[in-house]
Amino acid sequence: MAAPTDNPGLPQAGQTGKGTLAILAGGGNLPSVVAEAALAKGRPVFVIGLRGQADEQVISRYPHGWMDWGQIGRLFSMLEDAACTEIVIIGPVTRPDVKHLKVDSGALKIIPFLKTLGTGGDDRILSSIVRFFEERGYRVIGASSIAPEILANEGLLTKKGPSDHDRADMEVGFTAVDRLGELDIGQAVVVVNRHVMAVEAAEGTDAMLARCAELRTKRYRFRQKKLGVLVKAPKPGQEERIDLPTIGARTVEMAAEAGLAGIAIAANSVHLAEREKAIARANKLGLFLIGEKRDEDG
Amino acid sequence: MAAPTDNPGLPQAGQTGKGTLAILAGGGNLPSVVAEAALAKGRPVFVIGLRGQADEQVISRYPHGWMDWGQIGRLFSMLEDAACTEIVIIGPVTRPDVKHLKVDSGALKIIPFLKTLGTGGDDRILSSIVRFFEERGYRVIGASSIAPEILANEGLLTKKGPSDHDRADMEVGFTAVDRLGELDIGQAVVVVNRHVMAVEAAEGTDAMLARCAELRTKRYRFRQKKLGVLVKAPKPGQEERIDLPTIGARTVEMAAEAGLAGIAIAANSVHLAEREKAIARANKLGLFLIGEKRDEDG
């Protein structure tokens, strides 16, 4: 039997310490952007990497642990050990492959909750996850409240800017994502010649851009010119603490492969991963990248 | 020099004759459904098959000719020879592969027109094609004005009907296609558990269903049950004379591969190709097929 302490639930000396920020990390470098921002403000961090998703090179710079999808018991025991009460959830994840799902006893307890995730749109699922943590005494906070710099700001980010033709495509695109968002459908569209060529739903932005590249080859072979715009914006009323739309260097590359002229995002509400790399890639490939202030911001 | 006639523009004796209906045929059996309906009313037909698209076995039963994409001169000379002034355009086509495009001098004359097709949504392109024929003295008429039976009617077409759960998915789907149609985007969505899983834009229904089958395998592996609905309806104000949405036996098969419970279409405004075969396939695969009366019909 362990020696009694005054309050065994509180962190012990030598642990990460009170006020530690938990970062539940998916892929890419955004978890480290959040970690650096917290550390710069003197706040300790503990990063929990989702195995198969988080980048070991990124998170191993910080105090960290690993969990598999389904290891909910392990997740809460790590949160408790690190004495974290605030959690940032950041970085893209792909849904679990059921064949490789490791379910611990902590997860078995919450099967009724997991079942509710199967119904309804992404917004509903994300709200459920936030509520799930909050009911257990944790607070989920937005990554940008720790690291405002991860949001793509307003204005042109690249050397090249949109032409009038591109601006017309952008206008159609923003109208479309707004309307689609009201139906809880996706966060992105591709517009070519003022026509919505593709709509993102469950397949994600990369799969949509790959489809556009294929369509472009088939249907628009005679046009060599870069044409069309990827428009990305959050849904109206979206749960902004978990899953803001994100673009990065890979998005820029795939947009170039689809023959697009550029990418327009809603300013201050889309994450820009690998900021410098993404902008450099866009400049090299001759694409524009622009943050547009939307009416609803004003 | 040819011998002069009173009016060389009019049809000669022995040709197909005045009042002949021209059927510009894409793939599938719908061209023959239209041809049979016209012939049953005593109206002669002349079928112009688009090479690589129209089914030789289908159109060779009728007086017919062939054209390649781009042989606009040949098209008009066939229409004139057959003395047709009314045209039905029917059957799915894929856009031309530019490498194999045969362009005749008739097409070269209309390059400015062809260029206008590159801009804007499908509706605009279809309206342009109708106007193009009309400016040359031809009338484009809807296939269903000749053969009303090609429209899927109201009511349940299969043994199995939608469950309450399916009906909830259908409701979400019809709302979504209506809203998407206002943006001139696609004619179909897939809804699973009241969530729009996929939206059809330029890629077409088959590609969307293939994507759903893939997503389903990845994300919904643990669900064996048929779940979700393909909802298809015309856009509000769509050019109904050319390109009404169409479903057929292949659509049923792909919906089954995507794990869907059934297909719901807007009654009396979606073409049902291979009617008997499509319904038999749905019955065999355990899917429902239903025509829903929409508010705007009432």
Side-chain angles (χ1 to χ4, degrees), chain B:
Chain B
M1 192 174 162
T5 63
D6 285 338
N7 189 338
L10 283 183
Q12 306 298 305
Q15 289 184 335
T16 317
K18 199 160 180 262
T20 296
L21 179 70
I23 301 173
L24 194 46
N29 81 323
L30 285 181
S32 85
V33 175
V34 175
E36 295 296 338
L39 292 170
K41 289 173 195 152
R43 184 166 187 185
V45 299
F46 185 78
V47 183
I48 299 173
L50 194 57
R51 208 179 293 279
Q53 310 284 337
D55 183 338
E56 177 148 23
Q57 291 206 315
V58 169
I59 76 167
S60 61
R61 293 175 226 158
Y62 314 100
H64 70 283
W66 290 93
M67 67 173 285
D68 280 289
W69 277 115
Q71 294 185 312
I72 306 293
R74 183 174 166 79
L75 167 65
F76 282 111
S77 109
M78 283 193 287
L79 289 172
E80 204 171 309
D81 287 350
C84 300
T85 55
E86 286 194 332
I87 307 172
V88 166
I89 302 175
I90 187 76
V93 297
T94 53
R95 307 254 170 156
D97 181 335
V98 179
K99 275 197 301 193
H100 302 116
L101 203 56
K102 292 183 188 169
V103 177
D104 66 15
S105 58
L108 291 178
K109 285 182 211 154
I110 58 156
I111 281 179
F113 163 74
L114 294 175
K115 281 192 173 167
T116 66
L117 298 183
T119 305
D122 286 347
D123 277 0
R124 201 185 135 141
I125 293 175
L126 297 174
S127 303
S128 294
I129 291 173
V130 168
R131 207 167 48 242
F132 174 75
F133 280 110
E134 289 181 343
E135 282 167 359
R136 281 151 186 83
Y138 295 89
R139 208 174 140 231
V140 176
I141 59 176
S144 62
S145 69
I146 302 290
E149 65 270 29
I150 70 170
L151 292 175
N153 49 297
E154 189 184 341
L156 186 63
L157 301 169
T158 44
K159 289 175 197 162
K160 192 185 144 187
S163 67
D164 287 348
H165 189 102
D166 299 330
R167 287 215 167 265
D169 285 348
M170 284 165 54
E171 196 48 47
V172 171
F174 278 115
T175 303
V177 289
D178 285 353
R179 300 288 294 276
L180 291 163
E182 289 161 17
L183 299 166
D184 194 9
I185 303 174
Q187 304 170 314
V189 296
V190 169
V191 178
V192 178
N193 286 332
R194 303 197 293 280
H195 182 221
V196 177
M197 184 186 192
V199 174
E200 174 188 340
E203 75 277 19
T205 305
D206 285 3
M208 177 184 64
L209 287 172
R211 179 162 89 240
C212 289
E214 200 187 323
L215 282 168
R216 178 92 172 200
T217 311
K218 278 193 207 153
R219 293 179 55 167
Y220 299 94
R221 186 170 305 195
F222 33 99
R223 288 205 205 94
Q224 297 303 318
K225 208 175 60 157
K226 287 192 179 69
L227 206 60
V229 179
L230 166 66
V231 173
K232 202 159 179 180
K235 298 167 197 166
Q238 174 165 349
E239 172 54 71
E240 300 209 341
R241 284 171 292 175
I242 299 195
D243 189 40
L244 278 184
T246 299
I247 63 165
R250 179 79 188 126
T251 320
V252 170
E253 286 162 9
M254 295 198 73
E257 279 163 30
L260 303 186
I263 300 172
I265 53 92
N268 302 318
S269 47
V270 173
H271 287 157
L272 178 53
E274 306 166 289
R275 184 186 182 86
E276 302 311 318
K277 188 177 166 191
I279 293 172
R281 199 62 52 94
N283 279 331
K284 191 178 171 190
L285 293 166
L287 269 67
F288 68 82
L289 199 56
I290 192 167
E292 282 281 284
K293 192 170 162 62
R294 300 294 297 149
D295 291 344
E296 58 188 357
D297 301 337

Side-chain angles (χ1 to χ4, degrees), chain A residues 91-135:
Chain A
V93 296
T94 53
R95 307 252 170 155
D97 182 335
V98 179
K99 275 197 300 193
H100 302 116
L101 203 57
K102 293 184 188 167
V103 177
D104 66 16
S105 58
L108 291 178
K109 285 181 210 153
I110 59 156
I111 282 180
F113 163 75
L114 294 175
K115 281 192 175 167
T116 67
L117 298 182
T119 304
D122 285 349
D123 277 2
R124 200 186 136 139
I125 292 175
L126 297 173
S127 303
S128 295
I129 290 172
V130 168
R131 206 168 48 242
F132 174 75
F133 280 110
E134 288 181 343
E135 282 167 0

Side-chain angles (χ1 to χ4, degrees), chain A residues 179-255:
Chain A
R179 300 289 294 277
L180 291 163
E182 289 162 17
L183 299 166
D184 195 9
I185 303 175
Q187 303 171 316
V189 296
V190 169
V191 179
V192 178
N193 285 331
R194 302 196 294 281
H195 182 220
V196 177
M197 185 186 191
V199 174
E200 174 189 339
E203 75 277 19
T205 304
D206 286 3
M208 177 184 63
L209 288 172
R211 179 162 89 239
C212 290
E214 200 187 322
L215 282 169
R216 180 91 172 200
T217 311
K218 277 194 210 153
R219 292 180 55 168
Y220 300 94
R221 187 173 302 197
F222 35 98
R223 286 205 206 94
Q224 297 302 319
K225 208 173 63 156
K226 288 191 178 70
L227 206 62
V229 179
L230 166 67
V231 173
K232 202 159 177 177
K235 297 167 198 166
Q238 174 165 349
E239 172 53 71
E240 300 208 342
R241 285 172 290 174
I242 299 196
D243 188 40
L244 278 184
T246 300
I247 63 164
R250 180 78 189 126
T251 321
V252 171
E253 287 162 9
M254 294 199 75

